[in-house]
Amino acid sequence: MTSFAQLRRTALSLPATAERSIGAGAKSFTVRDKRFASMGNDDHVRLHLPAADADEVLAAHPTAERLTRGAAPIGVRLPIADINGQQLNHWVRRAWLAHAPKRLAAQAEAADTAAAGEVGDLPKAIGSPATRALADVGITTLAQVAEVSGTELLAMHGVGPKAVRLLGEALIATGHRPKG
């Protein structure tokens, strides 16, 4: 069952995302102060999506409702239990892309096609999922990896223990010192 924890994990994995309290137990997720997702005590997730994306969610989920501000459509609202985790991840990212600054959104979209061994001096052995996860947050060199702890790396979706170990070995081999 999809939960607030998954919404939170997905939203916070996106660059420049902040979590804010917006009332009694309600939380919102913003990118550069623009809200793209939120959830209140009613167990409904609100996704601020462009019209075409909102229409797609509405067509796929009978319990979804159009979210409006006045008469202007701004996204969708649906019970979090009615959307599976993979769909939630997809739509949260689409909402983030719609609200992120152009440069940040372009960086994230470029990361979608990043392939292992083709980004900066990151080692090919870490694999494409880890390469994409690092590129998604703007990390494209071992020098940048050296500024991030192993715990922070493991928190990135797509970066597992093997990738962290291989990155640590590559840092040492190139004379960088891994951060805690």
Side-chain angles (χ1 to χ4, degrees):
M1 182 167 153
T2 308
S3 66
F4 172 76
Q6 179 163 359
L7 169 64
R8 183 175 192 272
R9 185 173 47 253
T10 301
L12 293 176
S13 74
L14 299 165
T17 295
E19 180 178 357
R20 297 209 163 77
S21 293
I22 54 172
K27 299 285 185 178
S28 74
F29 299 94
T30 61
V31 57
R32 305 278 165 87
D33 294 323
K34 293 183 181 178
R35 185 180 304 174
F36 65 91
S38 61
M39 188 167 159
N41 291 332
D42 62 357
D43 289 332
H44 281 68
V45 63
R46 290 157 188 82
L47 300 169
H48 296 251
L49 292 163
D53 286 343
D55 290 344
E56 198 173 325
V57 173
L58 290 165
H61 298 281
T63 58
E65 304 168 349
R66 190 166 303 278
L67 188 59
T68 60
R69 181 172 292 125
I74 60 170
V76 296
R77 174 183 179 270
L78 73 155
I80 196 157
D82 291 354
I83 186 167
N84 74 39
Q86 190 173 22
Q87 292 168 333
L88 179 67
N89 293 347
H90 171 78
W91 292 116
V92 167
R93 189 165 194 281
R94 295 289 301 162
W96 180 89
L97 285 168
H99 292 84
K102 286 181 179 153
R103 186 187 63 71
L104 196 56
Q107 174 183 311
E109 287 180 321
D112 288 345
T113 59
E118 296 179 7
V119 175
D121 63 350
L122 299 176
K124 183 176 184 173
I126 66 171
S128 291
T131 301
R132 284 191 295 273
L134 293 169
D136 198 32
V137 296
I139 297 173
T140 59
T141 67
L142 286 171
Q144 291 169 315
V145 171
E147 300 299 317
V148 182
S149 73
T151 302
E152 292 169 309
L153 290 170
L154 284 171
M156 295 178 194
H157 181 73
V159 180
K162 180 180 177 184
V164 171
R165 179 179 52 80
L166 293 170
L167 287 165
E169 291 170 1
L171 288 171
I172 292 166
T174 58
H176 292 91
R177 193 165 183 187
K179 182 177 178 181

